[in-house]
């Protein structure tokens, strides 16, 4: 079971069997709050394992695509029910391997539950169009067709939610799947797959290959039998994924970085804005692609906001996510912690004012984990690297702004375009912001995080490549249209020519 207490040896899942990797090697899944705790050993797989998984998925596709979508959906409904039943255990395991506080891990599992139910519902929709033909006695409609084998590469920050965003729409549309979960959080994917299998998923329909990007991800996205690729991760790796899909003209969905802004205008409810900046900036230790890592505040309320924001950040308790008193957990691993510390150094060198935090936490309960203080830089210039680059940690850059126009300019002046938020009571300003913020998601009087699964999720510019996941939009990636014309006139009718 996924709730094993001691270290367990886990396997890949290929063609309905739990199997070892052809390398015989394994990597460790460790608790970021206490790196002495080994959660499990997972197979360090190879291109050979990838090939076996893709072949199994390609074979399974031939029968899975013919299973009526409402029947495919029944399996998803059963899986969703099991997720509900096991939510607490799954969340605890997720906190152990990923570090986010338990309430957030429960939210992550809930997001997977929501997506599984939502996509199960699509089994009885998957609507296409029926429309009149321009010719008499002729019928015209369009239906969604599955693509084939979908290769999915998922990140560690939402170990169950993001795999479900990809797996569930892929399955309901009639595709089969090979997934490579992040090396830091393979247990949550393992548990999700196990639940799908228990729910009756036929062999080969979902396959899991564990391992690293170069060893598993690269051969997976370029495998000749893969029909489509969905990747969530950094823009740098996303570009490589896109390049490897391009020669094959293979559809590829990319979900990448963010440098999301939270704008506070002079008429904002400051208490609300501070609540939002704390949750958006330090929720999930800032490790969300939607994190509010920049805050732009109107000069009239700047001092007041900054002072109160900093005071609130100082009260946040950092600790093991299983400790009910902890507000913020560790960074995912040593490398990520080092990146955070590097950016703190960059901020100081750039002349930003360190208002609170800025240090790694190493004493007592923090001794064996990758903990860092919630950190706020004040008086930032929007051109500074800490205000431009994705840090993916508990570091927020606060910038004073002269007014609304400057706020929009600063907001749009980064390479990413995932999420943005504005705090104001002025309905005109709110609507102007909704029009002019060049991001995939805009919040009014709410922070940059907290997207719901039945709406499209994704971003502009270097955040994405034009696709969206979640909601109905996900179906557009995991299916392609087939247009059907049925002529029952018994004579040749020429479109555009015969009238
Ligand atoms: C992510 O940060 O990668 O909107 C996903 C949110 C979550 C999903 C975040 N529902 O913050």
């Amino acid at each position: 079971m996924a709730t094993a207490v001691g270290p367990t040896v886990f396997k890949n899942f290929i063609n309905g069997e739990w199997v070892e990797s052809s390398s015989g090697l394994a990597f460790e899944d460790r608790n970021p709050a206490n790196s002495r705790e080994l959660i499990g050993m997972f197979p360090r797989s190879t291109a050979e394992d990838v090939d076996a998984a893709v072949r199994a998925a390609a074979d399974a596709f031939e029968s899975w695509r013919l299973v009526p979508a409402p029947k495919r959906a029944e399996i998803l409904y059963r899986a969703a029910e099991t997720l509900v039943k096991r939510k607490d255990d799954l969340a605890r395991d997720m906190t152990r391997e990923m570090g986010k506080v338990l309430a957030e891990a429960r939210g992550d599992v809930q997001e997977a539950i929501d997506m599984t139910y939502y996509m199960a519902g699509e089994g009885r929709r998957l609507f296409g169009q029926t429309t009149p033909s321009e010719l008499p006695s002729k019928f015209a409609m369009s239906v969604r067709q599955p693509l084939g084998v979908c290769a999915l590469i998922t990140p560690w920050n939402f170990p169950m939610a993001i795999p479900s965003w990809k797996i569930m729409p892929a399955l309901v549309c009639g595709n089969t799947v090979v997934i490579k979960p992040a090396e830091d959080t393979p247990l949550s994917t393992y548990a999700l797959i196990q639940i799908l299998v228990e729910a009756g998923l036929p062999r080969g329909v979902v396959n899991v290959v564990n391992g690293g990007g170069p060893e598993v991800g690269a051969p997976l996205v370029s495998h000749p039998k893969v029909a489509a690729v969905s990747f969530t991760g950094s823009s740098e790796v996303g570009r490589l994924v896109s390049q490897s899909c391009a020669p094959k003209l293979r559809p590829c969905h990319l979900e990448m970085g963010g440098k999301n802004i939270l704008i506070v205008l002079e008429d904002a409810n400051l208490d609300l804005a501070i609540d939002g900046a704390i949750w958006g900036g330090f929720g999930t230790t800032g490790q969300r692609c939607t994190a509010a890592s920049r805050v732009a505040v109107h000069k009239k309320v700047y001092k007041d906001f900054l002072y109160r924001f900093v005071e609130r950040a100082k009260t946040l308790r950092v600790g093991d996510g299983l400790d009910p008193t902890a507000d913020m957990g560790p960074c995912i691993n040593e490398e990520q912690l080092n990146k955070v510390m590097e950016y703190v150094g960059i901020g100081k060198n750039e002349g930003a004012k360190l208002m609170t935090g800025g240090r790694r936490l190493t004493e007592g309960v923090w001794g064996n984990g990758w903990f860092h203080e919630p950190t706020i830089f004040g008086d930032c210039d929007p051109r500074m690297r800490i205000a431009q680059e994705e840090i993916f940690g508990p570091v927020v850059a606060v910038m004073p702004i002269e007014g609304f126009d400057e706020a929009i300019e600063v907001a749009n002046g980064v390479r990413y375009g995932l999420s943005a938020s504005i705090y104001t009571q002025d309905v005109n300003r709110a609507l102007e912001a909704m029009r002019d913020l060049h991001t995939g998601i805009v919040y009014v009087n709410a922070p940059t995080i907290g997207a719901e699964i039945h709406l499209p999720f994704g971003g502009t510019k270097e955040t994405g490549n034009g696709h969206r996941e979640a909601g109905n939009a996900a179906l557009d990636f995991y299916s392609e249209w087939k247009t059907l014309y049925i002529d029952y006139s018994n004579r040749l009718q020429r479109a555009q020519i015969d009238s």
Side-chain angles (χ1 to χ4, degrees), residues 111 155 157-158 161-162 165 232 255-256 284 287-291 392 418-419 441 443 448-453 457:
E111 203 162 330
N157 66 337
F158 277 81
I162 294 182
W165 291 5
T232 298
E255 192 51 59
M256 301 167 290
T284 327
Q287 301 174 118
R288 294 198 190 205
C289 46
T290 49
F392 229 65
L418 182 53
S419 178
I441 306 169
Y443 289 92
T448 55
I449 68 175
E452 301 174 30
I453 63 90
F457 181 95

mmCIF file of all heavy atoms in Angstrom, residues 111 155 157-158 161-162 165 232 255-256 284 287-291 392 418-419 441 443 448-453 457, ligand 1:
data_model
loop_
_atom_site.group_PDB
_atom_site.id
_atom_site.type_symbol
_atom_site.label_atom_id
_atom_site.label_comp_id
_atom_site.label_asym_id
_atom_site.label_seq_id
_atom_site.Cartn_x
_atom_site.Cartn_y
_atom_site.Cartn_z
ATOM 1 N N GLU A 111 -7.712 18.122 -5.448
ATOM 2 C CA GLU A 111 -7.678 18.588 -6.838
ATOM 3 C C GLU A 111 -7.707 17.387 -7.796
ATOM 4 O O GLU A 111 -8.349 17.428 -8.846
ATOM 5 C CB GLU A 111 -6.430 19.455 -7.045
ATOM 6 C CG GLU A 111 -6.573 20.408 -8.195
ATOM 7 C CD GLU A 111 -5.569 21.568 -8.162
ATOM 8 O OE1 GLU A 111 -5.135 21.998 -7.087
ATOM 9 O OE2 GLU A 111 -5.240 22.045 -9.248
ATOM 10 N N PRO A 155 5.662 17.309 -12.739
ATOM 11 C CA PRO A 155 6.584 17.922 -11.770
ATOM 12 C C PRO A 155 6.311 17.456 -10.335
ATOM 13 O O PRO A 155 5.337 16.754 -10.082
ATOM 14 C CB PRO A 155 6.243 19.403 -11.913
ATOM 15 C CG PRO A 155 4.771 19.413 -12.158
ATOM 16 C CD PRO A 155 4.474 18.159 -12.955
ATOM 17 N N ASN A 157 5.789 19.523 -7.625
ATOM 18 C CA ASN A 157 5.122 20.452 -6.703
ATOM 19 C C ASN A 157 3.650 20.143 -6.488
ATOM 20 O O ASN A 157 3.084 20.490 -5.465
ATOM 21 C CB ASN A 157 5.328 21.905 -7.143
ATOM 22 C CG ASN A 157 4.661 22.226 -8.455
ATOM 23 O OD1 ASN A 157 4.403 21.331 -9.266
ATOM 24 N ND2 ASN A 157 4.380 23.491 -8.684
ATOM 25 N N PHE A 158 3.021 19.484 -7.449
ATOM 26 C CA PHE A 158 1.642 18.991 -7.262
ATOM 27 C C PHE A 158 1.620 17.520 -7.672
ATOM 28 O O PHE A 158 1.163 17.158 -8.750
ATOM 29 C CB PHE A 158 0.648 19.834 -8.075
ATOM 30 C CG PHE A 158 0.260 21.086 -7.342
ATOM 31 C CD1 PHE A 158 1.073 22.204 -7.347
ATOM 32 C CD2 PHE A 158 -0.911 21.119 -6.584
ATOM 33 C CE1 PHE A 158 0.737 23.334 -6.629
ATOM 34 C CE2 PHE A 158 -1.255 22.245 -5.862
ATOM 35 C CZ PHE A 158 -0.427 23.366 -5.885
ATOM 36 N N ALA A 161 -2.154 16.155 -8.133
ATOM 37 C CA ALA A 161 -3.059 17.000 -8.926
ATOM 38 C C ALA A 161 -2.602 17.053 -10.393
ATOM 39 O O ALA A 161 -3.398 16.797 -11.307
ATOM 40 C CB ALA A 161 -3.117 18.410 -8.344
ATOM 41 N N ILE A 162 -1.341 17.359 -10.626
ATOM 42 C CA ILE A 162 -0.911 17.562 -12.020
ATOM 43 C C ILE A 162 -0.926 16.253 -12.816
ATOM 44 O O ILE A 162 -1.439 16.247 -13.940
ATOM 45 C CB ILE A 162 0.421 18.349 -12.100
ATOM 46 C CG1 ILE A 162 0.174 19.775 -11.577
ATOM 47 C CG2 ILE A 162 0.946 18.369 -13.543
ATOM 48 C CD1 ILE A 162 1.358 20.721 -11.629
ATOM 49 N N TRP A 165 -4.410 15.949 -13.876
ATOM 50 C CA TRP A 165 -4.802 16.907 -14.931
ATOM 51 C C TRP A 165 -4.513 16.334 -16.314
ATOM 52 O O TRP A 165 -5.133 16.710 -17.296
ATOM 53 C CB TRP A 165 -4.001 18.207 -14.839
ATOM 54 C CG TRP A 165 -4.265 19.080 -13.672
ATOM 55 C CD1 TRP A 165 -5.080 18.847 -12.602
ATOM 56 C CD2 TRP A 165 -3.683 20.373 -13.459
ATOM 57 N NE1 TRP A 165 -5.017 19.909 -11.751
ATOM 58 C CE2 TRP A 165 -4.184 20.841 -12.236
ATOM 59 C CE3 TRP A 165 -2.785 21.151 -14.182
ATOM 60 C CZ2 TRP A 165 -3.821 22.098 -11.730
ATOM 61 C CZ3 TRP A 165 -2.417 22.388 -13.678
ATOM 62 C CH2 TRP A 165 -2.933 22.859 -12.456
ATOM 63 N N THR A 232 5.003 19.373 -17.865
ATOM 64 C CA THR A 232 4.987 20.508 -16.945
ATOM 65 C C THR A 232 6.345 20.577 -16.273
ATOM 66 O O THR A 232 6.811 19.568 -15.719
ATOM 67 C CB THR A 232 3.876 20.363 -15.880
ATOM 68 O OG1 THR A 232 2.612 20.325 -16.534
ATOM 69 C CG2 THR A 232 3.889 21.536 -14.905
ATOM 70 N N GLU A 255 3.679 23.359 -20.124
ATOM 71 C CA GLU A 255 3.208 24.200 -19.017
ATOM 72 C C GLU A 255 4.447 24.529 -18.195
ATOM 73 O O GLU A 255 5.025 23.640 -17.584
ATOM 74 C CB GLU A 255 2.200 23.354 -18.207
ATOM 75 C CG GLU A 255 1.418 24.118 -17.214
ATOM 76 C CD GLU A 255 0.778 25.322 -17.820
ATOM 77 O OE1 GLU A 255 -0.007 25.172 -18.766
ATOM 78 O OE2 GLU A 255 1.099 26.439 -17.385
ATOM 79 N N MET A 256 4.864 25.804 -18.225
ATOM 80 C CA MET A 256 6.194 26.091 -17.682
ATOM 81 C C MET A 256 6.180 27.192 -16.623
ATOM 82 O O MET A 256 5.253 27.288 -15.855
ATOM 83 C CB MET A 256 7.133 26.366 -18.844
ATOM 84 C CG MET A 256 7.189 25.161 -19.773
ATOM 85 S SD MET A 256 7.957 25.461 -21.348
ATOM 86 C CE MET A 256 6.740 26.509 -22.127
ATOM 87 N N THR A 284 2.771 26.620 -0.155
ATOM 88 C CA THR A 284 3.600 25.613 -0.835
ATOM 89 C C THR A 284 5.068 26.072 -0.897
ATOM 90 O O THR A 284 5.802 25.754 -1.835
ATOM 91 C CB THR A 284 3.052 25.298 -2.254
ATOM 92 O OG1 THR A 284 1.626 25.413 -2.243
ATOM 93 C CG2 THR A 284 3.392 23.898 -2.713
ATOM 94 N N GLN A 287 6.578 27.310 -3.955
ATOM 95 C CA GLN A 287 6.927 26.371 -5.036
ATOM 96 C C GLN A 287 5.705 26.039 -5.906
ATOM 97 O O GLN A 287 5.386 24.879 -6.133
ATOM 98 C CB GLN A 287 7.534 25.098 -4.441
ATOM 99 C CG GLN A 287 8.794 25.383 -3.621
ATOM 100 C CD GLN A 287 9.312 24.158 -2.909
ATOM 101 O OE1 GLN A 287 10.411 23.714 -3.160
ATOM 102 N NE2 GLN A 287 8.541 23.595 -2.013
ATOM 103 N N ARG A 288 5.011 27.050 -6.326
ATOM 104 C CA ARG A 288 3.923 26.866 -7.300
ATOM 105 C C ARG A 288 4.299 27.682 -8.520
ATOM 106 O O ARG A 288 4.841 28.787 -8.380
ATOM 107 C CB ARG A 288 2.606 27.440 -6.779
ATOM 108 C CG ARG A 288 2.048 26.726 -5.588
ATOM 109 C CD ARG A 288 0.578 27.079 -5.431
ATOM 110 N NE ARG A 288 0.063 26.600 -4.156
ATOM 111 C CZ ARG A 288 -1.207 26.320 -3.914
ATOM 112 N NH1 ARG A 288 -2.111 26.477 -4.866
ATOM 113 N NH2 ARG A 288 -1.598 25.913 -2.738
ATOM 114 N N CYS A 289 3.943 27.199 -9.685
ATOM 115 C CA CYS A 289 4.209 28.047 -10.851
ATOM 116 C C CYS A 289 3.289 29.256 -10.839
ATOM 117 O O CYS A 289 3.547 30.244 -11.516
ATOM 118 C CB CYS A 289 4.140 27.267 -12.156
ATOM 119 S SG CYS A 289 2.743 26.208 -12.295
ATOM 120 N N THR A 290 2.236 29.203 -9.992
ATOM 121 C CA THR A 290 1.333 30.341 -9.867
ATOM 122 C C THR A 290 1.703 31.261 -8.692
ATOM 123 O O THR A 290 0.968 32.210 -8.407
ATOM 124 C CB THR A 290 -0.102 29.828 -9.631
ATOM 125 O OG1 THR A 290 -0.059 28.859 -8.578
ATOM 126 C CG2 THR A 290 -0.704 29.214 -10.870
ATOM 127 N N ALA A 291 2.801 30.993 -7.995
ATOM 128 C CA ALA A 291 3.130 31.752 -6.776
ATOM 129 C C ALA A 291 3.219 33.250 -7.033
ATOM 130 O O ALA A 291 3.675 33.695 -8.081
ATOM 131 C CB ALA A 291 4.460 31.258 -6.212
ATOM 132 N N PHE A 392 11.034 29.997 -7.479
ATOM 133 C CA PHE A 392 10.374 28.767 -7.017
ATOM 134 C C PHE A 392 10.759 28.471 -5.572
ATOM 135 O O PHE A 392 11.190 27.378 -5.224
ATOM 136 C CB PHE A 392 10.723 27.582 -7.931
ATOM 137 C CG PHE A 392 9.505 26.817 -8.365
ATOM 138 C CD1 PHE A 392 8.542 27.402 -9.170
ATOM 139 C CD2 PHE A 392 9.305 25.500 -7.961
ATOM 140 C CE1 PHE A 392 7.406 26.702 -9.567
ATOM 141 C CE2 PHE A 392 8.173 24.792 -8.355
ATOM 142 C CZ PHE A 392 7.229 25.396 -9.154
ATOM 143 N N LEU A 418 1.742 33.515 -16.603
ATOM 144 C CA LEU A 418 0.785 32.526 -16.087
ATOM 145 C C LEU A 418 -0.385 33.184 -15.359
ATOM 146 O O LEU A 418 -1.514 33.153 -15.815
ATOM 147 C CB LEU A 418 1.496 31.520 -15.181
ATOM 148 C CG LEU A 418 0.602 30.402 -14.615
ATOM 149 C CD1 LEU A 418 -0.169 29.681 -15.709
ATOM 150 C CD2 LEU A 418 1.423 29.398 -13.815
ATOM 151 N N SER A 419 -0.102 33.806 -14.218
ATOM 152 C CA SER A 419 -1.195 34.294 -13.377
ATOM 153 C C SER A 419 -0.875 35.711 -12.914
ATOM 154 O O SER A 419 0.295 36.082 -12.778
ATOM 155 C CB SER A 419 -1.323 33.342 -12.179
ATOM 156 O OG SER A 419 -2.319 33.769 -11.308
ATOM 157 N N ILE A 441 -4.264 33.630 -16.592
ATOM 158 C CA ILE A 441 -5.199 33.646 -15.463
ATOM 159 C C ILE A 441 -5.103 35.021 -14.784
ATOM 160 O O ILE A 441 -3.991 35.513 -14.552
ATOM 161 C CB ILE A 441 -4.842 32.549 -14.420
ATOM 162 C CG1 ILE A 441 -4.748 31.168 -15.090
ATOM 163 C CG2 ILE A 441 -5.848 32.527 -13.281
ATOM 164 C CD1 ILE A 441 -4.157 30.080 -14.195
ATOM 165 N N TYR A 443 -6.778 37.195 -11.418
ATOM 166 C CA TYR A 443 -7.627 37.197 -10.221
ATOM 167 C C TYR A 443 -7.906 38.632 -9.801
ATOM 168 O O TYR A 443 -7.002 39.473 -9.863
ATOM 169 C CB TYR A 443 -6.913 36.519 -9.056
ATOM 170 C CG TYR A 443 -6.750 35.020 -9.185
ATOM 171 C CD1 TYR A 443 -5.607 34.472 -9.768
ATOM 172 C CD2 TYR A 443 -7.726 34.151 -8.694
ATOM 173 C CE1 TYR A 443 -5.449 33.087 -9.858
ATOM 174 C CE2 TYR A 443 -7.562 32.771 -8.791
ATOM 175 C CZ TYR A 443 -6.423 32.248 -9.362
ATOM 176 O OH TYR A 443 -6.270 30.889 -9.451
ATOM 177 N N THR A 448 -2.693 34.986 -6.552
ATOM 178 C CA THR A 448 -2.402 34.410 -7.881
ATOM 179 C C THR A 448 -2.538 32.892 -7.917
ATOM 180 O O THR A 448 -2.416 32.304 -8.986
ATOM 181 C CB THR A 448 -0.950 34.751 -8.283
ATOM 182 O OG1 THR A 448 -0.087 34.282 -7.225
ATOM 183 C CG2 THR A 448 -0.752 36.229 -8.487
ATOM 184 N N ILE A 449 -2.721 32.280 -6.752
ATOM 185 C CA ILE A 449 -2.822 30.814 -6.703
ATOM 186 C C ILE A 449 -4.259 30.403 -6.416
ATOM 187 O O ILE A 449 -5.057 31.207 -5.943
ATOM 188 C CB ILE A 449 -1.869 30.211 -5.645
ATOM 189 C CG1 ILE A 449 -2.305 30.576 -4.208
ATOM 190 C CG2 ILE A 449 -0.446 30.673 -5.880
ATOM 191 C CD1 ILE A 449 -1.449 29.906 -3.127
ATOM 192 N N GLY A 450 -4.574 29.155 -6.740
ATOM 193 C CA GLY A 450 -5.898 28.647 -6.368
ATOM 194 C C GLY A 450 -6.814 28.401 -7.545
ATOM 195 O O GLY A 450 -8.042 28.510 -7.430
ATOM 196 N N ALA A 451 -6.243 28.031 -8.688
ATOM 197 C CA ALA A 451 -7.053 27.736 -9.868
ATOM 198 C C ALA A 451 -7.946 26.534 -9.612
ATOM 199 O O ALA A 451 -7.566 25.602 -8.900
ATOM 200 C CB ALA A 451 -6.143 27.464 -11.050
ATOM 201 N N GLU A 452 -9.142 26.551 -10.167
ATOM 202 C CA GLU A 452 -10.096 25.450 -10.024
ATOM 203 C C GLU A 452 -10.061 24.594 -11.293
ATOM 204 O O GLU A 452 -9.824 25.112 -12.380
ATOM 205 C CB GLU A 452 -11.495 26.013 -9.757
ATOM 206 C CG GLU A 452 -11.508 26.871 -8.495
ATOM 207 C CD GLU A 452 -12.833 27.581 -8.252
ATOM 208 O OE1 GLU A 452 -13.876 27.058 -8.656
ATOM 209 O OE2 GLU A 452 -12.794 28.672 -7.648
ATOM 210 N N ILE A 453 -10.342 23.312 -11.120
ATOM 211 C CA ILE A 453 -10.030 22.353 -12.193
ATOM 212 C C ILE A 453 -10.951 22.398 -13.413
ATOM 213 O O ILE A 453 -10.644 21.819 -14.435
ATOM 214 C CB ILE A 453 -9.947 20.900 -11.667
ATOM 215 C CG1 ILE A 453 -11.304 20.443 -11.105
ATOM 216 C CG2 ILE A 453 -8.877 20.733 -10.628
ATOM 217 C CD1 ILE A 453 -12.180 19.796 -12.099
ATOM 218 N N PHE A 457 -6.376 26.147 -17.536
ATOM 219 C CA PHE A 457 -5.192 26.529 -16.764
ATOM 220 C C PHE A 457 -4.007 26.595 -17.714
ATOM 221 O O PHE A 457 -3.725 25.639 -18.433
ATOM 222 C CB PHE A 457 -4.928 25.491 -15.674
ATOM 223 C CG PHE A 457 -3.736 25.817 -14.803
ATOM 224 C CD1 PHE A 457 -3.899 26.482 -13.604
ATOM 225 C CD2 PHE A 457 -2.447 25.476 -15.205
ATOM 226 C CE1 PHE A 457 -2.808 26.797 -12.806
ATOM 227 C CE2 PHE A 457 -1.350 25.786 -14.417
ATOM 228 C CZ PHE A 457 -1.530 26.445 -13.213
HETATM 229 C C1 LIG B 1 1.318 24.748 -10.199
HETATM 230 O O1 LIG B 1 1.717 25.671 -9.511
HETATM 231 O O2 LIG B 1 2.120 24.085 -10.870
HETATM 232 O O3 LIG B 1 -3.705 27.325 -9.032
HETATM 233 C C2 LIG B 1 -0.101 24.346 -10.242
HETATM 234 C C3 LIG B 1 -3.005 26.749 -8.210
HETATM 235 C C4 LIG B 1 -3.113 25.239 -8.094
HETATM 236 C C5 LIG B 1 -2.318 24.592 -9.155
HETATM 237 C C6 LIG B 1 -0.918 25.095 -9.257
HETATM 238 N N1 LIG B 1 -4.488 24.841 -8.191
HETATM 239 O O4 LIG B 1 -2.220 27.340 -7.491
#
